[in-house]
Amino acid sequence: MSNTDDKRPTVLTISAHSGDFVWRAGGALALYAERGYDVRIVCLSYGERGESQGLWRQEGMTLEKAKAGRRAEAEAAAEALGASITFFDLGDYPLRIDEAALERIVGEMRDAQPEVLLTHVANDPYNRDHNAAHEATLLARQVAQAAGHDRTTSPIGAPQVMQFEPHQSEQCGFRPNLLLDITSVFDRKQKAMECMSAQSHLLRYYTDLGLRRGVQAVRNGGDKSIVQAEAYQRVFPTVGDELR
């Protein structure tokens, strides 16, 4: 990678399963890739047990085949969004993040030096793997900031953590405070979603959700040209010199 590329600002996503980043943050990732950011995704698991309904309907399916299928889908989706992708293969249902895995996440953060982190909400009662990914993101962020941790790498600053929208937001205490206009890149998100054949039943849901959030974005002061949007909730306060 050239020195110019090294200086590109980075967005880093910590995704519990190999499809989560597509449905919930695909628009943001495509948008920032188009803006010239280095967009990176870490998938903690393939979602081979609980997130691969379409694959398990196939005769002769095994865990290894499911992993391979999910990896191929996620790689194609990441390419459609303009992002790079890394897989940890920690298993799912349940997702277990041990000290070694946490250290790997810290390493990814220190390598990326992200301006912003994207991940799951803190409390999803339907899928505790998402909670584990959220907690690991916050803990790894803390460790990655420590000046005395791994003196061969540089500490990160204080990147904002953006929680992307869960599947049933009302049950998760999700209160969005950012509606991100993704109209200009929705075609890329659509292409990425179409890659996820193991969860094809979610395509219509997230297409409709994007339209609903687009309507809300306009009603909250956004430009009338907004058609699709994604919702996010910040973990930390923003800093500025204006009341807005």
Side-chain angles (χ1 to χ4, degrees):
M1 186 178 290
S2 68
N3 289 334
T4 300
D5 286 337
D6 285 342
K7 295 178 182 177
R8 285 193 299 159
T10 302
V11 172
L12 178 61
T13 299
I14 308 297
S15 182
H17 312 104
S18 62
D20 295 330
F21 72 90
V22 181
W23 312 112
R24 297 170 171 87
L29 302 182
L31 186 66
Y32 275 81
E34 285 206 348
R35 291 176 178 174
Y37 278 63
D38 180 7
V39 178
R40 305 185 188 188
I41 303 158
V42 170
C43 289
L44 300 179
S45 81
Y46 294 112
E48 65 272 12
R49 292 187 178 90
E51 304 271 304
S52 304
Q53 296 91 323
L55 295 179
W56 286 108
R57 296 190 189 102
Q58 300 174 18
E59 187 175 351
M61 184 53 57
T62 66
L63 278 177
E64 291 308 311
K65 287 181 181 179
K67 287 181 183 182
R70 292 294 276 167
R71 181 180 183 121
E73 290 180 358
E75 287 175 338
E79 182 177 2
L81 298 173
S84 62
I85 190 164
T86 300
F87 301 93
F88 277 21
D89 192 15
L90 300 179
D92 70 316
Y93 287 60
L95 170 65
R96 302 294 191 193
I97 304 171
D98 59 15
E99 289 187 15
L102 181 68
E103 185 63 28
R104 289 178 66 190
I105 300 171
V106 171
E108 292 287 341
M109 288 186 184
R110 286 201 162 197
D111 183 67
Q113 295 290 314
E115 287 199 355
V116 64
L117 292 161
L118 306 181
T119 196
H120 298 267
V121 294
N123 184 25
D124 185 341
Y126 297 100
N127 196 318
R128 310 307 281 183
D129 288 0
H130 297 165
N131 303 11
H134 174 94
E135 179 58 27
T137 298
L138 293 190
L139 183 54
R141 179 184 182 273
Q142 172 189 326
V143 176
Q145 290 176 312
H149 178 81
D150 184 10
R151 298 289 291 160
T152 66
T153 60
S154 298
I156 66 172
Q160 179 62 263
V161 178
M162 304 297 296
Q163 300 167 95
F164 41 65
E165 185 163 11
H167 191 67
Q168 297 191 49
S169 55
E170 299 88 349
Q171 299 299 108
C172 301
F174 182 72
R175 296 178 61 85
N177 48 31
L178 171 64
L179 295 171
L180 183 71
D181 177 11
I182 61 168
T183 307
S184 65
V185 294
F186 190 76
D187 59 332
R188 294 180 65 174
K189 179 172 182 176
Q190 184 84 20
K191 183 177 179 180
M193 291 193 296
E194 289 171 354
C195 294
M196 310 307 292
S197 59
Q199 293 180 295
S200 59
H201 61 288
L202 294 177
L203 179 57
R204 180 175 177 178
Y205 180 90
Y206 282 98
T207 299
D208 290 348
L209 181 60
L211 291 170
R212 290 198 300 275
R213 291 304 190 186
V215 171
Q216 293 167 3
V218 174
R219 293 202 63 182
N220 279 276
D223 191 270
K224 294 189 185 329
S225 64
I226 297 174
V227 178
Q228 290 99 358
E230 287 175 343
Y232 293 87
Q233 182 178 349
R234 299 179 182 90
V235 171
F236 302 103
T238 57
V239 179
D241 58 3
E242 296 181 14
L243 290 170
R244 56 177 300 177

